[in-house]
Amino acid sequence: MPRTAFRGAWLALSLLAGLALSGCTSTQVRTATDASGKPEHIVGTVVLVEPDIELYAVGAGGMQEPREAWTLTARREFPIAARDILQAQGVPLKGDFMLPKDAGPENKLRQLTLLNQAVSISILSYARGDALRNKHGKFDWTLGPGVAALREATGADYALFTYIRDSYTSGGRAAMRIIGFLLLGGDVGGGMQIGLASLVDLRTGQVVWHNLLLDQTGDLRDPKGAHETAGDLLRGIRR
């Protein structure tokens, strides 16, 4: 799963989260509507595209260090939790889709995942109020007809794309936070969880649902935490 394209966006999201959070969980759900103005309903099957997940430890100086073991655990537990939540809501699922490891730049499905990332970034940037006047305040985003390749590969009617970056405060960083409170009167920051999810109709290319999750207490390193994160990230997907 390609990841480099999202680094700048994740950095921007991290800065946003640092400003917006105060020890709480927040979500930002956006839903497409039909001609009558009512939310689009899920009618058909859903495939969970291989989640893009990476976990880090925050060192004493604030630098993030990748933790492979944590990441592997999260990549195993999150899809299980996501499937459980969707099935509990009565959403019919297809088998998970994994992008082939040898998929090169010319691979249409790889290109589609990159396009979805670009559209998600655009949604975060412009899907608010009248930021884009031609949309007249409507949530109206699409991946275009190229989604047919993923529909053909999976047989699903919708694709669920998810991206999560999660970081955890190390012992050294925790000590620095205490020092910050005592000497500076403020928080120097610690770990946080940032997630993005989008549901795309593979028959039309339309993004029918999108969510941004910001959380300072989420934890993907065990099944219980993965289930809580999946519940927050998939909030409002079933209407």
Side-chain angles (χ1 to χ4, degrees), residues 111-124:
Q111 293 172 0
L112 186 61
T113 61
L114 292 173
L115 175 60
N116 181 70
Q117 293 175 1
V119 171
S120 275
I121 292 171
S122 183
I123 290 172
L124 293 176

Side-chain angles (χ1 to χ4, degrees), residues 93-153:
L93 299 175
K94 291 285 189 179
D96 293 358
F97 173 74
M98 311 288 282
L99 190 68
K101 299 301 181 186
D102 60 351
E106 75 290 346
N107 185 284
K108 291 184 178 179
L109 298 178
R110 176 184 171 87
Q111 293 172 0
L112 186 61
T113 61
L114 292 173
L115 175 60
N116 181 70
Q117 293 175 1
V119 171
S120 275
I121 292 171
S122 183
I123 290 172
L124 293 176
S125 301
Y126 301 110
R128 64 183 187 282
D130 58 352
L132 293 178
R133 293 184 177 180
N134 64 318
K135 293 188 181 296
H136 306 289
K138 186 176 181 181
F139 184 75
D140 181 21
W141 304 85
T142 179
L143 270 59
V147 297
L150 186 54
R151 179 168 168 78
E152 181 178 349

Side-chain angles (χ1 to χ4, degrees), residues 43-65:
V43 181
T45 55
V46 175
V47 61
L48 177 60
V49 178
E50 179 185 6
D52 183 344
I53 298 175
E54 291 182 0
L55 271 60
Y56 301 84
V58 182
M63 293 292 292
Q64 293 194 354
E65 303 170 358

Side-chain angles (χ1 to χ4, degrees), residues 59-104:
M63 293 292 292
Q64 293 194 354
E65 303 170 358
R67 291 301 177 92
E68 183 178 5
W70 294 352
T71 295
L72 292 176
T73 297
R75 290 178 183 172
R76 181 186 67 244
E77 297 297 334
F78 177 80
I80 295 172
R83 285 194 297 271
D84 287 347
I85 288 171
L86 292 172
Q87 288 173 334
Q89 296 180 13
V91 177
L93 299 175
K94 291 285 189 179
D96 293 358
F97 173 74
M98 311 288 282
L99 190 68
K101 299 301 181 186
D102 60 351

Side-chain angles (χ1 to χ4, degrees), residues 2 145 183:
L183 299 184

Side-chain angles (χ1 to χ4, degrees), residues 77-238:
E77 297 297 334
F78 177 80
I80 295 172
R83 285 194 297 271
D84 287 347
I85 288 171
L86 292 172
Q87 288 173 334
Q89 296 180 13
V91 177
L93 299 175
K94 291 285 189 179
D96 293 358
F97 173 74
M98 311 288 282
L99 190 68
K101 299 301 181 186
D102 60 351
E106 75 290 346
N107 185 284
K108 291 184 178 179
L109 298 178
R110 176 184 171 87
Q111 293 172 0
L112 186 61
T113 61
L114 292 173
L115 175 60
N116 181 70
Q117 293 175 1
V119 171
S120 275
I121 292 171
S122 183
I123 290 172
L124 293 176
S125 301
Y126 301 110
R128 64 183 187 282
D130 58 352
L132 293 178
R133 293 184 177 180
N134 64 318
K135 293 188 181 296
H136 306 289
K138 186 176 181 181
F139 184 75
D140 181 21
W141 304 85
T142 179
L143 270 59
V147 297
L150 186 54
R151 179 168 168 78
E152 181 178 349
T154 64
D157 300 308
Y158 300 87
L160 177 60
F161 297 89
T162 52
Y163 305 84
I164 303 173
R165 294 296 180 270
D166 206 353
S167 57
Y168 304 89
T169 304
S170 65
R173 188 61 177 176
M176 288 299 297
R177 294 185 77 176
I178 294 173
I179 293 172
F181 276 118
L182 294 176
L183 299 184
L184 304 176
D187 188 1
V188 297
M192 70 175 63
Q193 186 178 85
I194 305 170
L196 275 175
S198 58
L199 185 69
V200 178
D201 191 328
L202 298 181
R203 296 160 294 196
T204 64
Q206 183 184 22
V207 180
V208 295
W209 169 90
H210 189 273
N211 189 23
L212 165 66
L213 167 67
L214 303 174
D215 190 357
Q216 282 191 321
T217 60
D219 192 337
L220 282 169
R221 296 173 295 180
D222 58 59
K224 182 176 182 293
H227 197 277
E228 290 176 354
T229 294
D232 290 332
L233 189 57
L234 301 181
R235 184 170 298 170
I237 193 171
R238 182 68 161 178

